[in-house]
Amino acid sequence: MTDLSKYRNIGIFAHVDAGKTTTTERILKLTGKIHKIGEVHEGESTMDFMEQEAERGITIQSAATTAYWKDHRFNIIDTPGHVDFTIEVYRSLKVLDGGIGVFCGSGGVEPQSETNWRYANDSKVSRLIYVNKLDRIGADFYRVVKQVEDILAAKPLVMALPIGFEDSFVGVIDLLTRKAWVWDESGDPLKYTIQDVPEDMKAKVEEWREKLIETAVEQDDELMEMYLGGEEPAIEDIKRCIRKGTIAMDFFPTYPGSSFKNKGVQLVLDGVVDYLPNPTEVQPQPETDIEGVETGEFAIVDPSRPLRALVFKIMDDRFGALNFVRIYSGTLKKGDTVMNTYTGKSERVGRMVEMHANDRTEIESAQAGDIVALIGLKNVQTGHTLADPDNPATLEPMVFPDPVISIAIAPKNKGAAEKLGIALNKMVQEDPSFRVETDQETNETILKGMGELHLDIKVDILRRTHGIEVEVGKPQVAYRESITQAVEDSFTHKKQSGGSGQYGKIDYTIQPNEPGAGYAFESVVVGGNVPREFWPAIDKGFKESMNKGVLAGYPVVDVKVTLRDGAFHAVDSSAIAFEIAAKGGYRQTMQKAGPQILEPIMKVDVFTPEDHVGDVIGDLNRRRAMIKSQDTAPIGVRIKAEAPLSEMFGYINTLRTMTSGRGQFSMEFSHYSPCPKNVSETVIKEAAERKKAQEAAR
């Protein structure tokens, strides 16, 4: 049995361009996993192995690897920073025990850092903070520490101080040992010397060391009393307290460094060993029933217990589908038969591999605490649980957001249609935030995703990986419909044409529901006017009708239907008759309930140099944006706003033109909001024209 106390399942996450992948490359070099460092900006990093990643210099899908440091095993997942791919971060955090949040020394706490931090809080993942790129112009370690406090409402526990900034950044001072680590200019991470603290930094080191110890000893009353009595605890005792507070997420050990210049990464690795939890130290995963309701049982990390494993990612490669699995309890061997509790079917584990980006090492078995990839599973999707067939249980499933943008595609070569279907099916398996639908009326293939870049990459993957050239329509917004007023109404479905007839009468109220609450159905019928066995059919009739609104055919949200009364016939009434009555009632009543079009509103975060602020705000106002805040940073201004998605297509090109290529922005879905009248009219008109064109095409 492997010693689980030596395991660390960690993820590296941050905003785009904060240096996550570069940091991972340095970790792999230091742990002896790779011998030549590949640079992201040269398109040669180990973890960004997709062509699209190498070309754009960004991480698109999370990559997994295993490395060893000081006889501890690290299972590392490098995640994307771009907001369109946050789903990758969310899934990875779900199965990790600890993480390293990387922040740029000059950019500080950027928009995507906030989203990722929020996901990590939701998943209760303990973290270290690594302030990277301290060799860059405008870098300021202390400013980033302050931003972590102010923007993320988190408590950074500074473990080391930088020696110098920007060009003069040469190393770091470990506060606990009062030793300076100074690297030479060769760029070799192993060429450093450990020296005494420089004279001009002694006072600062003592000030920050005192803060560190004061915060740490709060975790232990005895040590606290000892410290207040003037006695300094031993370093091992302080470390024990830091570990306890880090696992409880009371604070986050914080380190300075520059991954690109190979300075400071060793201390972060030591921090992972010293302070991040092993698999047995995190709260065990709750077990649920198939509906997602907790049973009160937990998947305790123990190799001798029944198998519980969560599939958190599926990746298609030349050898078939790789299912990335986190094993929470039990052991898994090559050739084992396991149960997929979602489908209720058995699956056989053909092969098992340990991943290193896109290389793999065959293994015979794995146990609780491991992250491995399985080959040979047939009907498994992200979020499914694999369990012991004799003792099945489900782990808490993952919830994925709905896409907000869609495009229509068609293969340029008519013979590629079948090939396109197979390729899209594989891509949907890999990415749960990517959806594919076929428009029944036009026969068009519709791709739905989280943003323009997301869909852009998908089309690129079709072209490069699967060799399918497609024509792409212009992006479409995922509008919704809702209502503004309550209406009481009645509908009778009556049909008599020889033999048994159909009869169902319903009295109901259709009213607006709370924003974001979706569709709800309630019956307040007393007595037997509408027998209870017909209520589900009425609910189904209304619910299915909500897929198509009365204004432009978009799905209807935030509506509540209350069944008040009705009537039935002892012979002619049936579930189907009441379902048809509900559908008829929907068509009759929705027009009277003040229907309206809702549009997706996005949280927009724009960074611009100071001399272009006026232009950027003016342009956002023209896009119907609401400016929420404006913060001045040392190297520019950050503007937070909310804007309709329909106005934001192609925004990156406009922003780059306005700011001479120096502006950046990120955008994520916030909520749905009613459209202004002129926009509604345009949306309804376009829907009518589409319908007309479809009918003509028939």
Side-chain angles (χ1 to χ4, degrees):
M1 286 291 163
T2 317
D3 180 1
L4 285 174
S5 69
K6 302 273 202 241
Y7 269 53
R8 298 290 182 273
N9 289 321
I10 59 168
I12 298 179
F13 56 90
H15 183 85
V16 173
D17 209 26
K20 292 174 308 305
T21 302
T22 304
T23 303
T24 309
E25 292 289 314
R26 297 322 185 255
I27 290 173
L28 296 179
K29 171 77 172 112
L30 285 168
T31 56
K33 195 75 190 184
I34 56 173
H35 301 293
K36 176 187 178 293
I37 291 174
E39 300 301 354
V40 174
H41 57 270
E42 291 167 4
E44 291 180 352
S45 76
T46 310
M47 300 302 271
D48 287 350
F49 53 83
M50 287 172 69
E51 278 181 55
Q52 292 83 353
E53 294 178 311
E55 210 171 77
R56 295 168 195 244
I58 61 169
T59 303
I60 291 166
Q61 60 177 21
S62 46
T65 188
T66 304
Y68 293 85
W69 180 254
K70 295 191 173 171
D71 75 1
H72 282 66
R73 173 188 169 124
F74 290 4
N75 291 322
I76 305 169
I77 296 184
D78 173 29
T79 63
H82 197 285
V83 70
D84 284 13
F85 307 105
T86 41
I87 201 75
E88 289 282 343
V89 183
Y90 168 72
R91 322 192 248 197
S92 304
L93 284 168
K94 190 92 182 118
V95 298
L96 294 171
D97 305 324
I100 302 172
V102 182
F103 296 94
C104 173
S106 56
V109 177
E110 294 169 283
Q112 197 52 35
S113 321
E114 290 181 56
T115 306
N116 292 338
W117 197 263
R118 195 173 66 242
Y119 281 159
N121 284 343
D122 292 347
S123 300
K124 297 185 174 59
V125 173
S126 309
R127 278 145 281 168
L128 304 182
I129 292 170
Y130 174 50
V131 181
N132 187 22
K133 299 194 176 184
L134 289 177
D135 57 309
R136 282 181 62 168
I137 292 170
D140 184 341
F141 175 71
Y142 303 99
R143 187 186 73 245
V144 179
V145 168
K146 181 87 175 68
Q147 283 184 337
V148 169
E149 290 173 352
D150 297 345
I151 298 172
L152 303 177
K155 189 172 185 178
L157 183 70
V158 175
M159 301 297 297
L161 298 182
I163 306 171
F165 278 122
E166 301 180 354
D167 290 348
S168 64
F169 176 66
V170 292
V172 300
I173 297 168
D174 182 339
L175 291 177
L176 279 181
T177 60
R178 295 188 179 95
K179 288 294 178 191
W181 293 53
V182 180
W183 280 263
D184 66 16
E185 288 310 303
S186 67
D188 184 336
L190 301 174
K191 291 200 172 163
Y192 62 88
T193 53
I194 294 181
Q195 308 170 5
D196 290 332
V197 174
E199 274 305 317
D200 61 339
M201 286 193 70
K202 280 187 171 168
K204 199 168 208 172
V205 166
E206 290 311 312
E207 177 199 338
W208 283 91
R209 191 171 189 273
E210 199 174 311
K211 285 187 199 173
L212 164 63
I213 296 171
E214 276 175 13
T215 307
V217 295
E218 285 173 7
Q219 299 291 325
D220 186 312
D221 292 343
E222 268 182 49
L223 285 182
M224 177 88 142
E225 278 179 36
M226 193 169 117
Y227 182 67
L228 292 174
E231 196 182 331
E232 185 179 294
I235 285 183
E236 284 314 307
D237 288 331
I238 298 170
K239 281 187 169 183
R240 182 170 47 76
C241 289
I242 297 171
R243 182 179 184 81
K244 185 181 172 191
T246 305
I247 293 172
M249 298 201 307
D250 292 338
F251 46 70
F252 304 92
T254 302
Y255 297 87
S258 164
S259 296
F260 182 53
K261 293 286 172 69
N262 288 307
K263 294 171 184 171
V265 181
Q266 282 98 326
L267 276 78
V268 179
L269 290 176
D270 288 346
V272 171
V273 167
D274 290 340
Y275 308 125
L276 288 183
N278 67 52
T280 63
E281 290 174 310
V282 292
Q283 287 186 337
Q285 279 278 322
E287 293 179 3
T288 68
D289 61 20
I290 199 70
E291 301 297 320
V293 179
E294 291 188 13
T295 59
E297 297 290 317
F298 291 89
I300 291 162
V301 179
D302 180 349
S304 62
R305 291 173 70 93
L307 177 71
R308 305 280 182 264
L310 186 70
V311 179
F312 69 94
K313 176 181 168 62
I314 294 174
M315 194 171 94
D316 198 75
D317 76 352
R318 60 191 187 279
F319 300 112
L322 284 168
N323 296 272
F324 284 80
V325 165
R326 162 74 198 262
I327 303 173
Y328 284 101
S329 72
T331 26
L332 188 58
K333 294 188 181 67
K334 194 166 105 174
D336 276 0
T337 298
V338 295
M339 178 188 263
N340 178 345
T341 57
Y342 183 84
T343 60
K345 294 193 167 72
S346 293
E347 295 275 354
R348 187 173 174 280
V349 178
R351 286 161 60 209
M352 199 183 302
V353 294
E354 198 174 85
M355 294 302 294
H356 173 49
N358 64 340
D359 291 333
R360 66 210 59 194
T361 310
E362 293 269 349
I363 54 174
E364 294 298 312
S365 69
Q367 62 160 39
D370 277 331
I371 292 177
V372 294
L374 307 180
I375 302 170
L377 305 183
K378 297 282 187 289
N379 300 305
V380 173
Q381 289 182 350
T382 302
H384 285 183
T385 302
L386 304 178
D388 181 342
D390 301 325
N391 191 341
T394 301
L395 296 168
E396 186 186 5
M398 300 181 182
V399 181
F400 300 110
D402 286 331
V404 290
I405 181 172
S406 62
I407 52 172
I409 62 162
K412 285 184 180 172
N413 169 2
K414 292 286 175 251
E418 190 180 335
K419 201 173 161 192
L420 177 67
I422 294 165
L424 288 174
N425 192 30
K426 285 181 179 176
M427 287 160 68
V428 169
Q429 292 269 333
E430 287 181 16
D431 182 354
S433 63
F434 174 59
R435 317 265 167 92
V436 177
E437 289 174 10
T438 303
D439 188 315
Q440 299 301 334
E441 288 161 340
T442 61
N443 226 8
E444 282 180 321
T445 301
I446 311 288
L447 308 187
K448 297 185 171 186
M450 304 309 293
E452 281 185 280
L453 178 66
H454 191 198
L455 294 181
D456 217 19
I457 298 282
K458 296 301 178 193
V459 170
D460 206 28
I461 290 172
L462 279 176
R463 185 166 61 80
R464 302 232 201 144
T465 311
H466 301 283
I468 303 165
E469 294 289 341
V470 291
E471 310 244 350
V472 181
K474 72 178 201 297
Q476 301 288 329
V477 178
Y479 290 103
R480 295 286 182 265
E481 296 185 25
S482 195
I483 54 173
T484 54
Q485 57 210 55
V487 176
E488 288 190 4
D489 215 340
S490 178
F491 189 89
T492 306
H493 170 64
K494 200 173 180 180
K495 193 177 177 191
Q496 204 72 44
S497 54
S500 64
Q502 289 182 358
Y503 181 83
K505 176 178 185 289
I506 52 172
D507 299 340
Y508 55 90
T509 303
I510 289 185
Q511 67 196 74
N513 206 351
E514 293 293 316
Y519 162 79
F521 175 82
E522 180 187 22
S523 173
V524 293
V525 176
V526 286
N529 291 354
V530 180
R532 186 178 286 272
E533 69 258 29
F534 297 137
W535 295 358
I538 298 165
D539 178 18
K540 185 184 173 198
F542 277 114
K543 191 175 185 178
E544 285 183 359
S545 301
M546 299 283 167
N547 290 331
K548 210 159 192 181
V550 293
L551 292 175
Y554 288 105
V556 177
V557 294
D558 304 338
V559 169
K560 182 178 180 185
V561 177
T562 307
L563 180 65
R564 298 190 328 274
D565 205 354
F568 81 107
H569 186 279
V571 177
D572 293 348
S573 285
S574 63
I576 194 76
F578 275 102
E579 188 181 321
I580 293 168
K583 288 178 175 174
Y586 169 85
R587 286 192 298 275
Q588 169 184 291
T589 310
M590 286 298 278
Q591 293 284 9
K592 308 174 193 173
Q596 64 177 1
I597 302 278
L598 304 178
E599 62 182 347
I601 302 295
M602 311 300 282
K603 269 195 284 196
V604 181
D605 212 316
V606 185
F607 180 83
T608 169
E610 207 156 342
D611 41 351
H612 298 291
V613 173
D615 295 341
V616 170
I617 288 181
D619 180 66
L620 284 170
N621 286 334
R622 280 192 294 280
R623 294 171 186 269
R624 296 193 283 124
M626 291 268 297
I627 308 295
K628 293 289 186 185
S629 69
Q630 198 176 320
D631 299 314
T632 306
I635 52 172
V637 176
R638 192 169 158 193
I639 300 159
K640 289 190 173 189
E642 287 185 347
L645 174 63
S646 59
E647 303 287 348
M648 296 302 290
F649 290 141
Y651 179 64
I652 188 64
N653 298 330
T654 312
L655 180 66
R656 281 180 182 149
T657 306
M658 276 189 298
T659 61
S660 312
R662 289 158 66 205
Q664 291 177 336
F665 95 108
S666 87
M667 182 167 81
E668 66 175 310
F669 174 70
S670 172
H671 62 280
Y672 275 96
S673 180
C675 285
K677 192 162 184 283
N678 60 329
V679 177
S680 276
E681 285 168 358
T682 308
V683 172
I684 293 166
K685 189 178 165 197
E686 283 175 356
E689 283 169 1
R690 271 201 308 276
K691 196 172 178 187
K692 208 169 165 186
Q694 288 163 6
E695 282 165 1
R698 283 196 208 125

